[in-house]
Amino acid sequence: MSDIEAFSTPISAEAISSVWLSAFICDLSSPSLTLKRSFTNDSYWRDLLAFTPDFRTLHTLPKIQQFFSVPVAVARPSQFRLLPCVRHRRISPTKTFIQGIVQFHTVIAQCTGVFTLTQSEDSSWKAWSFVTTMDQLCGVVDRFRVHTPLCRPAEWNTTMEYTAVVVGAGQCGLSVAARLENLGISTLVLEKSTAIGNNWRSRYESLETNTPRAYNHLPFVTFPEGCGKYIPCRDVADYLENYQKTLGLHVLTSACISAASYDASSSTWKLSISLLEQVSIVVTARHLIGATGVGTTGGTLPFMPSIPGKNSFLGSMIHSSEYKSSSCIGARKVVVVGAGCSAHDIAQDMANHGSQTVLVQRSPTAVVSRQTIDRLLTGYVGQNVPPTEIADRFYTALPLSTLRNSKHDTMEIHAHIDQDLRENLARRGYLLPNPEDNFLHRLSVRRGGFYIDRGCAKLITSGKITVKSGHEISHFFPSGLVFDDGSRVMADLVIFATGYSKTTIKEVAENLFGPQVADAVHDLGGWDSDCELAGVWRPTGHDGLWFAEGDLFAARFYSRFLALQIMAREMGLLSPDQKTYITC
């Protein structure tokens, strides 16, 4: 995670970086790849397409040298150039690194590398981490730099042919479509809702982004300044709708896939698409991208736990996905089951409008303030911040696998910011995890079980919201809930903010494209052996099938790599097994 102390850096750090780069270039030039002069024994190298046509992270010097020896020889990297943005980064009270960015070329692409240097016992500086990314394929022109909108006006017919079809017009689907069209790849987006942005408009009215505006821009089009630092959900929805119009992306709304088949001999998808109150159409494409929110809500069902006695309950029960605002609900006694971001937001909204509100917290929740988030995202917040492209590089400068070692140190630096917040919550019986299971771990590894405070914590510590923690619900009774300790909570409305079921890629693939397609997809979506997210933004196990998911940042950052993977295949740059690049 990014913790930029200052964007301006002493010349000595630049000098150290220059010396390191010279050593690295020398190591790369050796007959057999030997990185002893430039990498530590405990180093990490993460590659996002620069040397391999996939996402790979290698740990320890011997494994790095063994794995990258052939890809480096094939890629023949050259023209290394150190960018003038070297900086110090402190990830613990006692540990400081030097980080910087180098640009270079391979025989097929322009690339970038972000190095993180640490001082060795002999006082030399070596790379503890190196993250390489493909930026642009040689000979491919970014269309967006030439003209806007990117796309020609759509010609709608009952039979159409595109190179790629994207299912879902949320932030990920639109970002992927924009990246593909930018590379000259014809792309159609299918959206089941009647309008782009409805997935945001349908959420509760008080929802807004938990991260600052500059962190959330999609490719090519920034959020308007008038949106404010934290963007309300309706403004996000309007932005997505304007995004499509600005870039001219081809989007069909009220569209659902009724049948999908893949012809392996021609590497072509055939999609039958149902349109609301219109004639169905058939679309063929070589690539199919599911971008309906894998791992979040797309293709999934709201989950409500089965609790005995619900038929005896005289009040109402809803899932958080059905909640809009307190003004639509006349309940005076409300129980919110769950302790994630949505649960806290809904409880805050109800309490602020006069309801007696109880938050049922069944297990510990990692809580941080927005002030802490700003510190973690310093590259996007404050004065003299770097361009988004540079901030993104530094934000992803450490492989996800290093979080196992550095997440505790990073959070320890900022622990003082939220110390009073945590202590006040604990006094109200709120359950907090141990320091090892902290916010960064839950955000990046567990991908859940945290809350970024927007004001609910103050309502809890002041007693305006009551927390019922550490006990499971035993059963309903006519006037509320009974817990396993025998205690009772009165309610006329119970809101279950308990997430969604069916969130694996295999299940979403079956929901979107049918069981035959799903059978060929690996049951992915978790972490692979390299600590990379399996099957998302990268190959899935089924030729021509891809998945995209994540927040607005992920949509901006990773959509580039999905588009480049598709472009590399269209250009014939991969070996038959698609595991290595081939060059002329």
Side-chain angles (χ1 to χ4, degrees):
M1 292 296 169
S2 181
D3 179 30
I4 302 175
E5 296 297 321
F7 194 61
S8 59
T9 310
I11 297 177
S12 59
E14 294 184 352
I16 289 168
S17 300
S18 295
V19 171
W20 172 82
L21 181 57
S22 296
F24 178 55
I25 294 171
C26 185
D27 282 347
L28 291 178
S29 303
S30 60
S32 59
L33 186 65
T34 303
L35 300 169
K36 292 182 178 180
R37 285 173 291 188
S38 54
F39 279 62
T40 66
N41 290 330
D42 189 43
S43 55
Y44 295 80
W45 187 337
R46 185 189 192 198
D47 183 61
L48 303 179
L49 311 183
F51 294 95
T52 62
D54 199 354
F55 299 175
R56 295 302 308 268
T57 298
L58 281 297
H59 178 215
T60 74
L61 183 58
K63 291 181 180 179
I64 289 172
Q65 292 178 152
Q66 180 181 12
F67 178 83
F68 280 104
S69 59
V70 172
V72 167
V74 171
R76 302 198 296 274
S78 62
Q79 302 179 52
F80 285 88
R81 181 172 72 93
L82 180 65
L83 298 187
C85 54
V86 180
R87 67 170 197 172
H88 287 287
R89 175 175 179 179
R90 186 165 63 97
I91 69 162
S92 77
T94 59
K95 187 180 295 184
T96 299
F97 292 127
I98 291 175
Q99 287 186 325
I101 300 174
V102 294
Q103 290 181 334
F104 62 96
H105 286 72
T106 67
V107 291
I108 65 168
Q110 299 173 33
C111 303
T112 295
V114 184
F115 57 83
T116 300
L117 307 182
T118 186
Q119 195 162 22
S120 304
E121 292 181 358
D122 63 359
S123 297
S124 65
W125 288 82
K126 297 182 179 181
W128 176 61
S129 169
F130 193 46
V131 177
T132 47
T133 59
M134 178 186 289
D135 296 337
Q136 188 174 15
L137 285 160
C138 294
V140 178
V141 177
D142 286 342
R143 294 175 63 208
F144 182 71
R145 295 180 181 177
V146 179
H147 63 275
T148 303
L150 292 176
C151 316
R152 292 173 297 179
E155 297 180 3
W156 303 120
N157 298 298
T158 55
T159 302
M160 296 187 292
E161 180 180 344
Y162 281 84
T163 304
V165 170
V166 179
V167 183
Q171 62 257 19
C172 291
L174 293 176
S175 295
V176 169
R179 295 285 195 186
L180 289 169
E181 287 285 0
N182 182 51
L183 299 178
I185 296 174
S186 61
T187 304
L188 173 66
V189 183
L190 305 176
E191 170 55 44
K192 67 179 181 180
S193 297
T194 57
I196 295 170
N198 277 359
N199 56 330
W200 283 86
R201 292 188 186 95
S202 63
R203 300 295 301 279
Y204 53 93
E205 293 177 4
S206 63
L207 175 66
E208 60 186 26
T209 60
N210 281 315
T211 47
R213 184 184 66 253
Y215 177 77
N216 292 315
H217 302 309
L218 295 189
F220 314 123
V221 181
T222 60
F223 274 97
E225 291 288 334
C227 287
K229 183 176 181 180
Y230 301 101
I231 310 165
C233 60
R234 296 197 67 84
D235 287 348
V236 176
D238 292 344
Y239 166 77
L240 294 178
E241 200 163 28
N242 290 329
Y243 187 86
Q244 180 270 328
K245 294 176 181 176
T246 300
L247 300 181
L249 303 176
H250 293 185
V251 178
L252 275 176
T253 56
S254 302
C256 294
I257 295 177
S258 54
S261 60
Y262 184 74
D263 184 352
S265 63
S266 62
S267 301
T268 302
W269 289 96
K270 182 178 180 180
L271 308 173
S272 297
I273 300 168
S274 300
L275 301 173
L276 183 64
E277 299 180 351
Q278 296 184 50
V279 177
S280 297
I281 64 173
V282 175
V283 177
T284 57
R286 289 193 291 276
H287 300 274
L288 181 59
I289 302 107
T292 60
V294 181
T296 51
T297 63
T300 65
L301 298 173
F303 172 73
M304 293 175 64
S306 178
I307 299 172
K310 64 179 181 180
N311 291 334
S312 68
F313 180 50
L314 300 178
S316 301
M317 289 177 285
I318 64 171
H319 188 267
S320 58
S321 60
E322 302 173 72
Y323 180 84
K324 301 306 176 190
S325 74
S326 58
S327 62
C328 302
I329 296 174
R332 302 302 300 169
K333 297 177 182 178
V334 179
V335 173
V336 180
V337 181
C341 290
S342 294
H344 286 82
D345 288 350
I346 292 170
Q348 178 179 344
D349 188 35
M350 295 299 301
N352 281 336
H353 290 85
S355 297
Q356 287 180 247
T357 306
V358 176
L359 183 71
V360 177
Q361 184 196 27
R362 296 168 296 170
S363 59
T365 306
V367 181
V368 296
S369 65
R370 281 180 164 176
Q371 186 180 358
T372 293
I373 294 298
D374 283 356
R375 292 291 186 92
L376 294 172
L377 300 178
T378 310
Y380 305 92
V381 180
Q383 301 295 319
N384 301 319
V385 295
T388 301
E389 184 83 4
I390 298 297
D392 286 350
R393 304 294 185 187
F394 282 131
Y395 183 69
T396 57
L398 297 180
L400 295 174
S401 50
T402 66
L403 286 174
R404 296 170 179 170
N405 302 320
S406 63
K407 64 183 184 301
H408 176 71
D409 291 339
T410 302
M411 291 306 298
E412 186 180 357
I413 294 174
H414 308 297
H416 66 282
I417 299 173
D418 295 333
Q419 183 173 346
D420 290 344
L421 173 67
R422 292 191 301 271
E423 291 176 353
N424 291 336
L425 285 171
R427 277 194 287 269
R428 287 289 180 173
Y430 193 97
L431 300 178
L432 298 164
N434 63 57
E436 290 299 323
D437 187 18
N438 58 40
F439 169 73
L440 284 182
H441 178 263
R442 291 184 173 221
L443 174 68
S444 302
V445 180
R446 282 187 52 176
R447 307 177 82 203
F450 60 85
Y451 168 56
I452 300 171
D453 183 39
R454 294 176 48 201
C456 188
K458 186 175 181 179
L459 296 177
I460 292 171
T461 57
S462 67
K464 291 183 179 179
I465 293 177
T466 301
V467 175
K468 178 66 178 176
S469 60
H471 291 282
E472 293 293 332
I473 299 170
S474 171
H475 59 274
F476 280 97
F477 76 107
S479 301
L481 295 166
V482 180
F483 290 81
D484 59 10
D485 62 350
S487 62
R488 296 188 172 203
V489 173
M490 307 293 284
D492 15 75
L493 173 65
V494 178
I495 302 172
F496 288 94
T498 44
Y500 297 81
S501 60
K502 284 196 172 184
T503 58
T504 68
I505 288 180
K506 199 174 188 73
E507 290 165 328
V508 173
E510 181 172 357
N511 181 62
L512 290 174
F513 312 125
Q516 187 174 355
V517 172
D519 286 344
V521 174
H522 302 316
D523 196 1
L524 304 174
W527 303 105
D528 67 11
S529 58
D530 287 353
C531 203
E532 296 286 352
L533 195 57
V536 181
W537 303 109
R538 48 194 296 226
T540 63
H542 190 301
D543 288 343
L545 180 63
W546 310 84
F547 287 98
E549 69 123 345
D551 61 8
L552 291 153
F553 165 81
R556 177 180 70 249
F557 185 76
Y558 285 102
S559 59
R560 175 199 301 270
F561 303 116
L562 199 161
L564 286 169
Q565 288 173 86
I566 290 175
M567 189 66 187
R569 284 159 174 76
E570 290 298 301
M571 294 174 67
L573 296 177
L574 272 66
S575 60
D577 63 5
Q578 299 189 342
K579 292 184 178 180
T580 58
Y581 293 123
I582 57 175
T583 58
C584 299

